[in-house]
Amino acid sequence: MKEIVSQKIKNQDLERYLQNFIESKDTFEFADLALHHYLAFNGQDQKAIEWLAAGIELLILSFDIYDDLEDQDNGSAVWMKIDSSIALNAVTALYTLSIQVMCQASHEPEFSQEILNFALQSIQGQHDDIVNAPQTEEACLEMIKNKSGALTALPCVMGVMLATGKYHPIVASYSYELGIISQIDNDYKGLFYLNNDFVQKKNTLAYLYLKKQFNDASAELLSLYQKPEEFVSINTKALKRKLTEAGVIQYLLVMKHLSLQKIKNEMSQLKLGEDKTEKLLSVMIK
């Protein structure tokens, strides 16, 4: 990724910012999704999958940065510590570069078009998140599918498309469910620290569930999340107990289980062989 930035970005000051952004990246799960789907469908061109995987990680990084800038979250990130206009221009360069790099993996017009379709779908999901559009569980799941699901489907579907030349609807379908699981995990982690989602009363699945106030614990938690001085004084064990009493943890686990079952059911239709299916599942669900 760093080498690509060095080759493609001629403005040295801009390159320095982008290299610093990349330096902060310590996971490459989306590249792994692309690679393992490519191999599962018998892809052979090592250089092509390297371009795709690198471009995908640059794209994911750009979307993470956009998300932080839009939510004014994650204050410790390097892009949150610099002038916002510089950060915005730099991340736009990163996003544009990511598209260019991914498109170099294949010269087929349909390949580039699908990449853009996924990116645009995720941007529209992000818009719904920013304006807090979801008012129901169904609407929230649709928003998650668009925002997180599309970004998760991109490496899986494009890895297969690079290997076979074809869009695979089953792969797309279960990949969206994987994105929902990932978002539920993020929402769960967010329950244990006072983040902007609760301060701004964002309609996450957890918050929508709490707002129904099925019991006293739900009402107590809603009040707690709006009182920073009280929230910081409660320990993790006590908070987890309260979340269990409210039914939030059980609810999120059920939602995850439903998506996981859909993934397994749809993967069984791929007819890749048990070894390849198990390998893919182990990469997807860690």
Side-chain angles (χ1 to χ4, degrees):
M1 290 167 65
K2 287 185 173 182
E3 185 178 342
I4 289 170
V5 169
S6 296
Q7 292 174 357
K8 300 285 189 179
I9 302 297
K10 303 306 179 185
N11 185 302
Q12 292 184 355
D13 193 55
L14 175 59
E15 183 203 343
R16 178 172 59 84
Y17 282 109
L18 297 187
Q19 296 290 10
N20 287 338
F21 292 176
I22 293 170
E23 188 70 35
S24 68
K25 192 169 179 60
D26 56 5
T27 61
F28 301 91
E29 296 173 353
F30 291 85
D32 285 344
L33 287 174
L35 173 62
H36 286 284
H37 276 84
Y38 183 71
L39 295 176
F41 284 80
N42 302 315
Q44 302 293 324
D45 190 335
Q46 182 68 26
K47 192 65 178 177
I49 187 57
E50 286 177 0
W51 277 110
L52 178 62
I56 286 170
E57 287 295 348
L58 290 171
L59 179 76
I60 297 302
L61 178 57
S62 73
F63 272 64
D64 286 343
I65 296 171
Y66 276 127
D67 191 58
D68 287 345
L69 291 171
E70 289 158 355
D71 291 347
Q72 285 298 295
D73 209 355
N74 195 16
S76 62
V78 61
W79 45 84
M80 299 301 292
K81 296 178 179 179
I82 61 177
D83 185 282
S84 61
S85 60
I86 294 174
L88 185 58
N89 188 66
V91 70
T92 301
L94 192 67
Y95 169 79
T96 307
L97 176 61
S98 74
I99 299 294
Q100 183 186 65
V101 171
M102 284 187 285
C103 291
Q104 284 187 234
S106 172
H107 298 299
E108 294 297 325
E110 293 84 1
F111 189 84
S112 301
Q113 190 62 50
E114 287 302 334
I115 289 171
L116 293 169
N117 286 343
F118 282 123
L120 185 58
Q121 183 181 6
S122 183
I123 291 168
Q124 292 178 83
Q126 174 71 350
H127 177 81
D128 282 342
D129 188 26
I130 291 170
V131 301
N132 208 22
Q135 299 298 315
T136 64
E137 177 186 293
E138 292 75 17
C140 189
L141 285 170
E142 185 66 20
M143 181 271 288
I144 294 172
K145 177 182 176 182
N146 288 330
K147 179 187 173 181
S148 302
L151 284 186
T152 308
L154 188 152
C156 304
V157 172
M158 300 318 299
V160 174
M161 196 169 185
L162 186 61
T164 66
K166 297 178 181 178
Y167 179 94
H168 205 303
I170 292 177
V171 174
S173 182
Y174 71 65
S175 300
Y176 281 110
E177 296 298 328
L178 182 61
I180 290 173
I181 289 176
S182 177
Q183 187 61 54
I184 290 174
D185 282 339
N186 286 339
D187 286 352
Y188 175 75
K189 292 172 185 175
L191 291 170
F192 292 92
Y193 64 93
L194 201 61
N195 60 23
N196 280 351
D197 283 352
F198 277 99
V199 172
Q200 298 173 11
K201 300 182 180 180
K202 281 288 189 74
N203 286 329
T204 63
L205 284 175
Y207 192 68
L208 285 167
Y209 181 88
L210 281 175
K211 285 206 300 185
K212 294 179 181 178
Q213 299 191 38
F214 289 116
N215 51 38
D216 291 341
S218 295
E220 291 171 17
L221 279 168
L222 282 174
S223 176
L224 181 65
Y225 281 116
Q226 297 305 315
K227 297 176 181 177
E229 67 284 352
E230 290 185 21
F231 182 88
V232 296
S233 67
I234 188 171
N235 63 55
T236 301
K237 187 175 181 180
L239 180 57
K240 189 172 184 178
R241 183 169 61 249
K242 185 67 68 175
L243 287 165
T244 303
E245 290 172 6
V248 178
I249 292 178
Q250 299 92 314
Y251 167 70
L252 294 179
L253 285 173
V254 168
M255 297 302 291
K256 277 185 64 175
H257 180 73
L258 290 173
S259 286
L260 180 57
Q261 285 305 116
K262 290 177 184 177
I263 290 172
K264 290 180 176 179
N265 290 340
E266 295 191 351
M267 288 188 76
S268 68
Q269 301 175 43
L270 293 178
K271 298 181 175 59
L272 288 175
E274 188 173 342
D275 288 347
K276 284 186 176 180
T277 301
E278 288 299 321
K279 177 64 176 176
L280 269 184
L281 194 57
S282 69
V283 172
M284 294 164 60
I285 309 294
K286 297 179 180 178

